[in-house]
Amino acid sequence: MPKLTINGQTVDYSGDPGMPLLWYLRDEQGLKGAKFGCGAGLCGACTVHVNGEARRSCVTPMAALEGASVTTIEGLSDGETLHPVQEAWLAEDVAQCGYCQTGQIMAVAALLETNANPSDGDIDESLTNICRCGTYYRLRKAVHRAAELKSGRAS
Amino acid sequence: MNAPVIHNRRDILRYAAAGGALVIAAPIASRVRAQRDGSPFPTPWFEGPVGGFVAINPDETVTIAFPNPEMGQGVDTSLPMLLAEELEVDFDRVSTVQMPLEIMRGEDGEMTWKYAPQGSGGSYSIPGHYEGLRQAGALARTLLISAAAAQFGVPASELVAARGVVRHEASGKKASYGELAAAAASIEPPAEAPALKPQSEFRLIGTPQKMKNARAIVTGEATFGIDAEKPGMLYAVMSRCPYFDGTAKSVDDSAARKVSGVVDIVKIEGPGPTGPYDVQAEGYAVVATSLWAAMKGRRALQIEWNTGPYAEESSGSFKRQCAELLEGTGQIVRDDGDFDAAFANAAETYEATYWQPYVSHAPLEPQNCLADVTEDGVEIIAPTQMPSGASRIVAAALGVDREKIKILPTRLGGGFGRRLSNDYVAEAALISKAVKAPVKLIWTRDDDLQHDFYRPSGMHQLKAGFDADGNLVAWTHRLASASKYYRRPNLPESDYWQAELYPDDFPSQFVNNVRLEYFSARSGAPRGSWRAPAHTANAFVVQSFLDEIAEGRGEDPLALRLRLLGEARELPYEQHGGPVFNPGRLAECLRVAAEKGGYGEKMPAGRGRGIAGHFTFGGYCAQVVDVETDDQGGLRVTKVVAAVDIGTVINPNGVAAQLESGVNDGLSTALRLAINIDGGRVTNANFDTYQLMKIADAPPVVETHIIDNGETPSGMGEMGLPPLAPALANAIFEATGKRIRSLPIADQLNS
Ligand code: FES
Ligand code: FES
């Protein structure tokens, strides 16, 4: 039976090991920030962090999470202090319908951990989340702004 | 709101005091023009009283409800701006909330809006509420001023309201809205609606504002339909007949019923072969204690389907049917002068045929609905563009009085026209009734792609003739398509064309000999309104064809458009977006986009720059698209420069956002999107076979130039989309010499 942490809290999972993490988060933990868009790892709306890496929770079965540390959008900010990616999203006013945006933010937050200053080419290559509303222009600007904010904060 | 509602003598205004808060719910007796044919809405939809409401709290915060559902188009900000402008409050102190569906039974016994029309579609939120919401704000301000006048013992005319405070200049007395709210709530409203500010005094309208509910979105707190919950709620997924108008032949649900957590299997009857859709397809709902259990139950269901009357239909057969239809004679829907003679006598003639596939809306949040049907009434929580349609469809499906149906529209994870239809709401209501519990129905992506109301597919043939002096003397547009105006009650097939060809569109009114001809094709694919409906197809073909003509004539494509459009003047426009089409405004957009986008500059090898412009639902938009191609058939749009004239602008930041959205939607659709039909069913099943664009293909630069000329405002949800595909195709021609006449572009540059 997998034991894992979600946003720092330890949980014991004893249900169907084949159930995707997304449904555990949304329907059993009440963490609804991760969204369902395709259920097949194709859109990224369900992106969370597993051990610090971006992971599509709709295709991540619970069985694969023994000992894992999961962070969702609800655990990304430090209390009322938003994560630099969230700040950048507000500053650039990225969201339209907003449905894809938690997944986008989680994907970008993970990207900035391994690539502190992604180029446009890096963004094109590494960000594969779908935004049906077409917020890509502002989203790209927000990634650059987040990189600046984050390095500014760190220094 | 549980507060008492006091009706005043004229019953044009309702207001209620609740816990010291002033709550204004102010239907103003202003009527908006009825929509004409060609509108995506049934005619009565926009008629009736217009209003809105606001709550002023004792702590000086202000809550404004936006009547129309928010689906990304920014009405959670732009509509409250209208009210706040007249209310005279700092917009920073305003929070905004979605108004539930508020309808009531009118004197004639029919249901009518209680406060304001409440649907999102047709780029109509701003034009539809521009008067009414400002009047609601002015009324609230007037009552607050009256309360202050009584408190200070001075005439109301000596008082000024600004930034949430009423002041008396001479005595220096002042009181905040929060202090005045309770007293204002008990004041008899004026008999006449207060006068509105002139445009020159706007201080909020026209200023860029960020989306009000953005923080909730980036923290994951925003609640979409799919996030709604109720105690005791069950989950449902459905297995629907994948064949157009097919039915279930046999079902074995024994294995599904054994899946742990599965509570029941409920059959949903299909819509019948010809009538309007309530639900879209026959199917079985698997109801369970968790979504995962319901999904597993669905997998265990054994259903054999009858393939239905369209089993032979495929994308190829539909295309052949359209081509064959165009060989014959169709229904002439506009016929000015004598096209045949003018074309036969023309000095130069041009002809081209274009193709548009079916496409799907695919909002990122799949369809879903939480329905709770009890003896006492029905509660629906759902992402819907048309909450009143949800109320109607539930009433029809269950036979329940509409006054007993509560509809709570949530934020929508995208709409694009898909959620003008409430078929998923009807399904959820039927399932909840059957299992006697609140049920949350969730569609999966394959459900969504295979049970959409698709944008109609069709084949367009255009011909044009010029005289020896270079005047356009003959024009015809012949369209064979499967119209979205079908299966509508009381609408004969001879009216189907109205949804697909707009007879007053450019260039019909600019040529003496013009003929528009429609051929109604047969298809089982359900059709509906897809963002900027027929404008997407018609802008693509007309604006592409003009480029072909310019090329043939050796004329500059921009110059050709400008001389055909001519001077600014008011032409009649009978379809949605009228009653006036001013070609001068479109010409100005073309000129601005061309200038800002450097149209006409020489491009390096492999690159191209194209232009196109279109009039959509009252708004004018032109775009210049830069494309870069490689020798592997690849392409990248590197820049889009757009000029837009939608009259008076409410929120320029929102206008730019919608323009960017239209550009990306247009590009995504032009690049790869097509719904494929085989054996009478849709074969696309997820985003691997329906490839929505990702950031790697999105233009890194999108420039929006707003021409604000103070004209009556239009919306902005749709006009940013139609020019993109033809401007792109025209750019591709410059870059490669290849004409894109068939969408999507897919790998056409490869061959
Ligand atoms: S829902 Fe997980 S990738 Fe789309
Ligand atoms: S903001 Fe709507 S899908 Fe991205």
Side-chain angles (χ1 to χ4, degrees), chain A residues 96-101 131-133 135, chain B residues 364:
Chain A
Q96 288 186 21
C97 83
Y99 195 75
C100 73
Q101 300 296 351
C131 175
R132 173 66 182 87
C133 297
T135 61
Chain B
L364 201 57

Side-chain angles (χ1 to χ4, degrees), chain B residues 442-457:
Chain B
I442 294 182
W443 288 35
T444 51
R445 184 53 58 189
D446 51 328
D447 296 337
D448 177 58
L449 287 173
Q450 301 189 345
H451 295 283
D452 195 359
F453 296 94
Y454 307 96
R455 184 179 79 183
S457 168

Side-chain angles (χ1 to χ4, degrees), chain B residues 585 618-620 644-649 655 707 712-716 719:
Chain B
R585 292 174 68 183
Y620 304 82
V644 58
D645 170 3
I646 50 165
T648 301
V649 168
V655 169
I707 302 168
T712 316
S714 334
M716 189 58 217
M719 27 300 269

